[in-house]
Amino acid sequence: LHHMSAAHAYIQMFVHVCRTGQADIRTISVGHWGSELGLSVLAGLSRLYTSLVWESTVLLALCSEDTLPQDCMFGRQDMEKLVTTDQSPSSPASHGSSGEVTSAMENLTTDSNMEAEVVMEGTSDMEIVPGQDDKKTNPLLQCQIKQIKPLLSGSSRLGRALAELFGLLVKLCVGSPLRQRRGQVNQPTPAMPSPPARAVATALTKLLTSGLSWEPPQTSPLPKFRLTFFICSVGFTSPMLFDEKKFPYHLMLMKFLSSGGQQAFFNTFNWAITLGNSVPAEDGLESSSLPDGTGEFLDAWLMLLEKMVNPKTVNESPHVLPSKAVGNFKPFDSLRYLIKTHKMAFEAVMMIWGRKPLPVYGGRMAESVLAILCHILKGEKIIAEKLEKEKPVPPTIAEKGGEAGTDPPTPAPGTVAEPSWSASTPAEPDVNPEHLQTLMDMGFPRERCVEAITATGGSLDAATDYLLNNPLPPLQQSLSTGFGQGG
């Protein structure tokens, strides 16, 4: 407990520094966190946070005889060590009834959602209050809870401080949101995130990915333990990717995708809906062996998915990135993100659609599913309009030898989900459009860029060397750059 208090004091110091609004101090802070030492400290804090979530899950389960089966020996020996010498060293299950244990849990905390929020949003002062019933309290369990309570309070306090620190680091990485003033014609240009900021964002999204792909120790006896952990992970992921108005941080979304977090997010759903890959996904919700906590997890999961598929907030977010690639930095393609996420989201909610609603959480889950489907339907039109605007200019007579003004074929409405990402190079479908644009920005003609990329197998560096080492004769170069093909 002393070590936890010391760690809490250091984390609070970090929190106060990250809260500052002075731009110079924020820049220095990001630089230090993105250094080798800062990233190593951040990795250690991430492991500590994960351990706190698991620890709190186990301690809360051990405080109730209803959570673990009577013949389960998980943690029993450790609980018996908490008994004083003047009490019988027997298991809590041998004393009292289920109602007595429930009363003891009410004395520990009055928050019914404590299991899901003990670390991130748990009550800071878990005061013992008088029981609400007249049933006699189990003295053995009371003695054990009395010793466990300081550890639960300390871990909850430390976990909330860590969550606050991670949230402040996200805001330091993404910088200030863009604000367009009234009457301003040109859109403000977003700032390029610095290398330290991108490194910190990568470390934070790795924490999210590890939480969503977490596996309990082999000694963990119940699926509910893992479900409780996933509930905490989903609740922690939401404020790390979205602001208070549900606008996403594009930098965090991009790193979340590259770190495998998006895939882990959907894999977690598949694990829960298939009862740990033991039943088909279509039969999971109606299975008689559905573990406790599945409804609470699916409810939290669907609420986060609803934010991910909202086309308005994703496309109009003020936390955007530059639209052009610079060096090894690649821009975030919000359209492609929406198309992929909509497809995966539709497949997921169809596993819930038409099934018997779960008790307690069935109503809220149905509302989330309907909202997700509405976002997908509205997003189809929005995505089609934006793809239409991004289409290249139709080829001229000199380029294609056809009639001027001929419009390219319009894709069918059902094909919006599968766009051609090489739309900027319709004649060369196998050429990377980003590499092609990069070479053209260097001043090389389009045909030469295509030739270089094709000759070198698609490598950007090799294509650049090819163009530099194989220049055109002066006459051909003037024809290519000054007059075009039909000159």
Side-chain angles (χ1 to χ4, degrees):
L1 290 176
H2 286 298
H3 286 298
M4 291 176 66
S5 298
H8 180 267
Y10 276 105
I11 292 169
Q12 283 297 112
M13 178 184 65
F14 293 146
V15 167
H16 288 310
V17 173
C18 293
R19 275 179 182 166
T20 181
Q22 299 181 22
D24 294 341
I25 297 180
R26 292 170 68 92
T27 303
I28 295 173
S29 182
V30 171
H32 281 293
W33 280 108
S35 64
E36 183 178 355
L37 176 60
L39 293 175
S40 64
V41 172
L42 189 55
L45 295 178
S46 301
R47 292 191 299 269
L48 174 61
Y49 185 82
T50 304
S51 301
L52 289 171
V53 178
W54 169 242
E55 176 188 275
S56 301
T57 302
V58 172
L59 289 178
L60 284 172
L62 293 177
C63 288
S64 171
E65 63 183 359
D66 297 333
T67 303
L68 299 174
Q70 292 186 359
D71 58 346
C72 180
M73 299 301 297
F74 179 79
R76 183 168 298 181
Q77 293 182 354
D78 293 327
M79 289 290 288
E80 291 175 351
K81 293 178 183 179
L82 298 177
V83 181
T84 57
T85 55
D86 59 337
Q87 290 178 310
S88 174
S90 56
S91 67
S94 63
H95 295 265
S97 63
S98 174
E100 295 170 5
V101 178
T102 303
S103 176
M105 287 301 294
E106 289 176 355
N107 290 340
L108 179 64
T109 174
T110 56
D111 188 354
S112 60
N113 296 323
M114 187 60 190
E115 282 187 321
E117 302 173 351
V118 64
V119 175
M120 278 82 68
E121 301 173 356
T123 54
S124 59
D125 50 349
M126 298 161 44
E127 298 179 356
I128 293 181
V129 298
Q132 301 298 325
D133 51 27
D134 298 330
K135 296 182 179 179
K136 186 178 179 181
T137 306
N138 183 347
L140 180 61
L141 187 59
Q142 279 290 78
C143 177
Q144 292 168 336
I145 290 177
K146 184 178 180 181
Q147 299 188 55
I148 291 176
K149 176 180 174 277
L151 185 59
L152 268 174
S153 287
S155 61
S156 176
R157 184 163 161 261
L158 181 58
R160 286 196 313 276
L162 283 170
E164 183 181 7
L165 174 62
F166 294 148
L168 290 172
L169 288 177
V170 169
K171 294 181 179 180
L172 283 179
C173 294
V174 301
S176 301
L178 290 182
R179 294 182 176 88
Q180 187 172 8
R181 298 179 179 178
R182 185 176 300 176
Q184 186 176 359
V185 178
N186 297 327
Q187 291 284 349
T189 303
M192 174 71 65
S194 63
R198 290 184 298 217
V200 174
T202 301
L204 293 174
T205 52
K206 286 182 179 178
L207 168 61
L208 302 180
T209 303
S210 64
L212 293 171
S213 57
W214 178 83
E215 294 186 3
Q218 295 180 355
T219 55
S220 178
L222 294 177
K224 183 179 180 181
F225 282 13
R226 192 176 185 185
L227 283 170
T228 302
F229 191 98
F230 283 154
I231 292 169
C232 296
S233 297
V234 170
F236 176 61
T237 300
S238 182
M240 298 286 284
L241 300 180
F242 299 88
D243 66 7
E244 297 80 4
K245 297 181 180 179
K246 300 183 180 180
F247 287 111
Y249 304 110
H250 281 189
L251 175 62
M252 296 299 294
L253 275 185
M254 183 175 67
K255 296 297 182 181
F256 189 64
L257 283 172
S258 61
S259 66
Q262 189 93 337
Q263 188 62 48
F265 176 73
F266 284 96
N267 290 343
T268 302
F269 169 83
N270 292 330
W271 176 87
I273 206 73
T274 59
L275 280 62
N277 302 317
S278 61
V279 299
E282 297 80 5
D283 305 331
L285 283 185
E286 299 178 350
S287 174
S288 58
S289 58
L290 193 69
D292 293 337
T294 303
E296 185 178 1
F297 164 74
L298 292 177
D299 179 45
W301 189 89
L302 288 170
M303 285 193 291
L304 178 55
L305 181 63
E306 183 182 345
K307 296 180 181 180
M308 291 181 172
V309 299
N310 190 332
K312 180 178 177 62
T313 56
V314 171
N315 285 322
E316 298 179 4
S317 173
H319 313 287
V320 294
L321 296 173
S323 58
K324 291 186 178 181
V326 178
N328 59 351
F329 174 80
K330 294 183 179 180
F332 176 71
D333 193 337
S334 59
L335 281 183
R336 185 173 184 179
Y337 169 81
L338 280 174
I339 291 170
K340 287 189 173 184
T341 306
H342 281 187
K343 181 178 180 180
M344 299 175 74
F346 182 79
E347 295 174 353
V349 297
M350 285 298 102
M351 301 298 176
I352 302 176
W353 186 261
R355 306 303 191 274
K356 181 180 178 180
L358 297 177
V360 182
Y361 296 97
R364 295 203 318 184
M365 289 172 57
E367 292 178 2
S368 297
V369 169
L370 290 175
I372 291 169
L373 293 176
C374 287
H375 287 319
I376 293 175
L377 292 174
K378 293 179 181 178
E380 183 176 358
K381 180 180 179 181
I382 295 175
I383 292 172
E385 292 175 353
K386 288 188 173 292
L387 290 176
E388 186 70 22
K389 293 179 180 179
E390 294 181 1
K391 278 186 178 180
V393 179
T396 61
I397 298 177
E399 293 175 346
K400 298 295 290 184
E403 297 182 0
T406 303
D407 294 331
T410 303
T415 60
V416 173
E418 297 294 336
S420 174
W421 297 109
S422 57
S424 60
T425 57
E428 304 88 16
D430 296 331
V431 176
N432 189 317
E434 295 180 357
H435 292 177
L436 178 61
Q437 187 62 43
T438 301
L439 294 175
M440 292 174 62
D441 290 343
M442 297 180 185
F444 295 107
R446 178 188 181 88
E447 295 77 12
R448 289 282 292 158
C449 297
V450 174
E451 174 190 341
I453 294 175
T454 306
T456 56
S459 172
L460 179 60
D461 295 336
T464 305
D465 294 338
Y466 179 92
L467 293 171
L468 295 175
N469 296 328
N470 298 277
L472 284 174
L475 179 60
Q476 294 186 19
Q477 186 173 5
S478 62
L479 289 174
S480 176
T481 59
F483 303 102
Q485 288 183 341

